Amino acid sequence: DETDIDNWKEVDATLTRSREWSSQGKFSGKVIFRSAQIYPNIYINSLDGDYGSCDWSSYDKLLIDVYNPNEEDAPFTVALLNGARPYAVGEQQYRGFEYGIPSKNKQTIEIPISLIEKRPGEPDLDIKDISSLTIISKQPETGGKDRVLYIDNIRLAIEQGAVKEDKPIPIVEKKV
């Protein structure tokens, strides 16, 4: 659904619906990160649709399916913010997780909710108040060309013994 893509914002990047690769369903989000920029990214604020925040405390992990069609490895960061008012100084906590997808590979990124909440040496992040999810590309330091990543099936997972249950993140219910 094209409206799912409309919920995302782009900074020095372009996000479009694509049939070229998908981990689930017919479409994924094709992101072109512009090479001339330092931190091109896509993000979704107000995960509840109205500059509010979401409670992730009943989930065990955040999962994101990513495919790298490029000829080189693709380093990127998944960043989370908490705090209902975007960019209010001192009122939000940031948590970033760095990944690298090898060339021509797909991977499911798994971020344990416990690691989002508590990470050694950093202030705790209130997982009952998650307000933004950002995917940031790290560009080559010596120029290069635009980098493409396909993003699909963003979801929160609950694991109960041997039973695993996935639930889409609020407002991304139809998935990118």
Side-chain angles (χ1 to χ4, degrees), residues 47 53-58 80-84 91-95 113-119 122-132:
L47 296 173
S53 55
C54 294
D55 181 350
W56 290 9
S57 63
S58 62
L80 299 161
L81 287 175
N82 75 346
E91 294 184 23
Q92 288 188 311
Q93 293 290 331
Y94 163 90
R95 187 79 81 231
I113 298 298
S114 61
L115 193 56
I116 294 171
E117 183 177 26
K118 296 180 183 294
R119 188 153 66 179
E122 296 182 18
D124 289 354
L125 188 129
D126 184 357
I127 58 169
K128 292 182 178 182
D129 191 23
I130 301 295
S131 60
S132 177

Side-chain angles (χ1 to χ4, degrees), residues 67-93:
Y67 171 63
N68 172 14
N70 303 290
E71 295 296 328
E72 63 280 337
D73 294 351
F76 65 96
T77 300
V78 174
L80 299 161
L81 287 175
N82 75 346
R85 295 189 321 182
Y87 312 115
V89 176
E91 294 184 23
Q92 288 188 311
Q93 293 290 331

Side-chain angles (χ1 to χ4, degrees), residues 85-112:
R85 295 189 321 182
Y87 312 115
V89 176
E91 294 184 23
Q92 288 188 311
Q93 293 290 331
Y94 163 90
R95 187 79 81 231
F97 299 89
E98 295 184 2
Y99 295 94
I101 305 289
S103 172
K104 308 288 183 188
N105 271 287
K106 60 184 174 183
Q107 185 174 339
T108 297
I109 302 302
E110 294 188 20
I111 305 174

Side-chain angles (χ1 to χ4, degrees), residues 100-170:
I101 305 289
S103 172
K104 308 288 183 188
N105 271 287
K106 60 184 174 183
Q107 185 174 339
T108 297
I109 302 302
E110 294 188 20
I111 305 174
I113 298 298
S114 61
L115 193 56
I116 294 171
E117 183 177 26
K118 296 180 183 294
R119 188 153 66 179
E122 296 182 18
D124 289 354
L125 188 129
D126 184 357
I127 58 169
K128 292 182 178 182
D129 191 23
I130 301 295
S131 60
S132 177
L133 182 144
T134 305
I135 299 172
I136 307 163
S137 175
K138 292 190 175 182
Q139 296 299 358
E141 292 181 18
T142 56
K145 48 187 180 172
D146 291 350
R147 179 172 288 142
V148 175
L149 287 177
Y150 291 90
I151 311 293
D152 198 19
N153 201 18
I154 301 172
R155 62 212 182 271
L156 293 166
I158 299 170
E159 291 190 27
Q160 300 172 348
V163 177
K164 181 176 152 185
E165 179 183 346
D166 289 348
K167 295 195 178 209
I169 291 179

Side-chain angles (χ1 to χ4, degrees), residues 18-75:
S18 174
R19 290 182 185 262
E20 294 172 49
W21 177 84
S22 175
S23 63
Q24 180 178 342
K26 296 178 183 177
F27 300 99
S28 67
K30 179 180 182 179
V31 187
I32 301 172
F33 297 100
R34 293 192 193 95
S35 63
Q37 305 304 318
I38 298 173
Y39 296 112
N41 67 83
I42 60 169
Y43 67 94
I44 184 167
N45 272 341
S46 63
L47 296 173
D48 74 349
D50 191 28
Y51 284 102
S53 55
C54 294
D55 181 350
W56 290 9
S57 63
S58 62
Y59 298 97
D60 296 310
K61 59 182 135 180
L62 168 66
L63 299 133
I64 305 172
D65 297 340
V66 182
Y67 171 63
N68 172 14
N70 303 290
E71 295 296 328
E72 63 280 337
D73 294 351

